[in-house]
Amino acid sequence: MLLLGGFAATQAAHRFIPRCLPPRGHRSVTARAGSSNGSSSSRRELLAIGLAAGVSLPPSGMAAQPMDVEVKAEPAGSGAAALAPQVGKDIPRAELAPGLEISRIVKGCWQLSGGHTGERAGASPDHTSGQAAIDDFAPFVAAGVTTFDTADIYGPSEALIGRYLSSHPAEKPHCQVLTKFCCFGDVMDSAKELRSVQQARRAACLPRKCSPPALLPPSSTRLASIDASRQRLGLESLPLVQFYWHKYENKGYIQAVQHLGTLQTKGKVQHIGATNFDVVRLKEMAEAGAKIANNQVQYSLLDRRPENGMAEYCREAGIKLLPYGVLAGGLLTDKYLGASVSDVKINTYSKSKYASVIGQAGGWDWFQSLLQALSAVAKKHGVTIADVACRWVLDKPQVAGIIVGARNSSHVADLKTVFSFQMDDGDREAIAKVLAAGKQATGDCYDWERGGAW
């Protein structure tokens, strides 16, 4: 496993791991990290370079294979359809868009794209792939976590959700799927045409400048279109499509979001959202006639960039925030209270990304002081550090819900306790004191990931 080591090195290696980057059709980096093919040290070096570009590498001498799975709807009148839906009510709900109500905790499905097996790999069944991943949705829904966040580029994620929904017809009407239309490289050019946005076609997943050419396998392709997402999910109409655009200098995002609006009028898309857009670009799309329901952004105790103008603009424009990164890939938990930086294993994509965020926010020593303050608040209320970290974000203006990427359903019980307490002014002041001692971000959402200032 790669170790966290110095934050300067980690930051340089893992700055550019956008949550919407792991390409479809590749095997997990974590599963291959211990491969006997080639030198171990050189393999780690390649992994570091590849992760910096958001690329998962195929095994030596093996080309990655597409993982698109055709999803077929469950036949009407099946025996399963007659069963009462197993849908819980422990998680509060909120309106994300008119007519679209979500659970305030959303099951994040980036973990299903690969590279998230972590310490459980080989020690217990992997709940991030195959039938185990499909079965793992049921406990979340039974607890009231009925909303799933995915993307067209999260590996087999959409197909796995589609298979869960088709095999659970009683629960399907109670579930909400939030997916994404992500534009990189050639897709940014083709997205200027309505036909390319709507209809399935093979397209390069990553721009050439995003990584050294030698690290891009020749089959780095995906099915990029709204129709492809509808097919994989087994849905006639997508409840929400969150739009991501990689390079602002390519102004095609205006045409692309207008095409999504056309598909909305056709009934293929119910609502249009954004992912990792800044205030300037949200305003431009609004001026072009786009009605944006939400902006999915990184927002946590470590990353408060949405407070640099984004939250205020969203309030004025009636746009909801749907934060991810709330637990920083599991780093904002009791497990790391008092831990030495040398003991932290970087064994998932999430930790790779958020380790660099800690470096920007104030470093490991400052992070430990934050965990200590959160622990004091948690003990006062009989909850965990993760509960406090989640609640802090949920209580922020314009936040409809938060995305939590639990790798398996063993975390479901923990999610319920997030709403078992309320923080008081003393709690918030104690946390704010530590946050003020850290590095204060000045950039807008996702500026840093695009090469700008933190």
Side-chain angles (χ1 to χ4, degrees):
M1 293 294 182
L2 296 175
L3 296 181
L4 188 61
F7 270 99
T10 303
Q11 180 177 325
H14 303 300
R15 176 176 185 176
F16 300 103
I17 304 184
R19 238 176 111 263
C20 49
L21 262 185
R24 329 184 46 84
H26 304 309
R27 298 170 182 255
S28 161
V29 168
T30 303
R32 297 193 308 271
S35 172
S36 60
N37 294 328
S39 165
S40 176
S41 60
S42 63
R43 185 64 180 163
R44 289 192 178 97
E45 292 171 0
L46 285 175
L47 285 172
I49 298 171
L51 284 172
V55 178
S56 55
L57 304 179
S60 301
M62 182 181 297
Q65 299 300 316
M67 297 176 68
D68 295 305
V69 178
E70 181 179 358
V71 178
K72 296 181 179 180
E74 185 78 7
S78 65
L83 298 177
Q86 301 298 308
V87 181
K89 298 181 179 179
D90 294 321
I91 307 299
R93 304 183 69 78
E95 186 178 79
L96 184 63
L100 177 58
E101 190 179 76
I102 65 170
S103 52
R104 293 208 70 198
I105 292 181
V106 177
K107 176 175 167 56
C109 297
W110 183 32
Q111 280 69 13
L112 305 183
S113 66
H116 284 91
T117 53
E119 295 172 345
R120 293 184 176 273
S124 63
D126 178 12
H127 289 248
T128 62
S129 63
Q131 188 61 45
I134 297 169
D135 295 339
D136 216 47
F137 282 96
F140 284 91
V141 174
V145 180
T146 62
T147 308
F148 315 136
D149 179 77
T150 183
D152 55 355
I153 60 169
Y154 288 0
S157 173
E158 287 184 326
L160 292 171
I161 294 173
R163 289 172 62 186
Y164 165 76
L165 294 176
S166 67
S167 61
H168 292 74
E171 287 77 20
K172 183 175 180 178
H174 303 276
C175 295
Q176 307 80 41
V177 182
L178 319 178
T179 192
K180 302 180 186 71
F181 178 64
C182 301
C183 296
F184 301 92
D186 295 342
V187 178
M188 289 190 289
D189 293 325
S190 64
K192 297 173 185 178
E193 300 178 5
L194 174 61
R195 178 177 58 86
S196 296
V197 175
Q198 175 177 323
Q199 297 175 355
R201 78 175 189 86
R202 289 287 178 182
C205 182
L206 294 169
R208 291 184 179 88
K209 294 182 180 180
C210 204
S211 97
L215 295 180
L216 284 176
S219 57
S220 179
T221 61
R222 64 185 175 94
L223 279 173
S225 78
I226 297 304
D227 281 351
S229 290
R230 291 169 59 233
Q231 180 185 23
R232 287 189 288 264
L233 289 165
L235 297 174
E236 286 296 320
S237 180
L238 301 175
L240 176 72
V241 173
Q242 299 161 104
F243 174 46
Y244 175 80
W245 192 265
H246 194 55
K247 296 287 187 180
Y248 288 151
E249 50 265 39
N250 185 331
K251 293 289 186 178
Y253 55 85
I254 297 296
Q255 292 168 281
V257 77
Q258 289 173 333
H259 293 327
L260 288 174
T262 298
L263 297 181
Q264 187 177 25
T265 62
K266 291 184 176 183
K268 293 189 174 186
V269 174
Q270 296 174 30
H271 298 284
I272 301 169
T275 300
N276 292 325
F277 272 90
D278 61 12
V279 171
V280 172
R281 258 51 66 162
L282 285 179
K283 287 182 177 179
E284 287 181 5
M285 291 190 291
E287 291 169 357
K291 177 60 178 176
I292 303 297
N294 76 298
N295 193 18
Q296 184 178 139
V297 294
Q298 186 170 290
Y299 195 1
S300 72
L301 286 157
L302 301 178
D303 184 359
R304 303 180 300 285
R305 287 177 291 175
E307 297 173 6
N308 295 342
M310 177 62 70
E312 178 61 21
Y313 171 73
C314 288
R315 183 189 66 79
E316 295 172 353
I319 297 173
K320 298 294 178 62
L321 293 175
L322 186 61
Y324 65 87
V326 174
L327 296 179
L331 293 169
L332 275 169
T333 61
D334 289 275
K335 178 178 180 179
Y336 295 97
L337 176 62
S340 169
V341 66
S342 61
D343 295 332
V344 181
K345 295 180 179 180
I346 299 300
N347 53 13
T348 67
Y349 281 142
S350 296
K351 287 181 185 176
S352 298
K353 174 179 173 64
Y354 296 113
S356 62
V357 172
I358 292 176
Q360 288 297 308
W364 190 257
D365 290 341
W366 170 84
F367 177 61
Q368 284 299 311
S369 67
L370 174 62
L371 290 181
Q372 290 168 9
L374 297 177
S375 179
V377 174
K379 289 179 179 178
K380 171 182 171 181
H381 295 284
V383 295
T384 66
I385 287 177
D387 293 329
V388 176
C390 287
R391 194 64 199 237
W392 186 88
V393 179
L394 280 164
D395 289 345
K396 292 297 180 178
Q398 296 305 117
V399 173
I402 58 173
I403 298 170
V404 178
R407 290 204 308 268
N408 58 74
S409 57
S410 66
H411 300 285
V412 168
D414 299 330
L415 299 178
K416 295 180 182 181
T417 61
V418 171
F419 302 97
S420 67
F421 71 105
Q422 291 275 0
M423 285 193 288
D424 56 34
D425 290 341
D427 299 330
R428 285 185 281 270
E429 289 171 4
I431 294 172
K433 183 177 180 180
V434 179
L435 296 181
K439 182 179 178 180
Q440 306 306 304
T442 59
D444 201 343
C445 296
Y446 224 64
D447 279 356
W448 177 66
E449 290 83 349
R450 286 189 167 96
W454 174 263

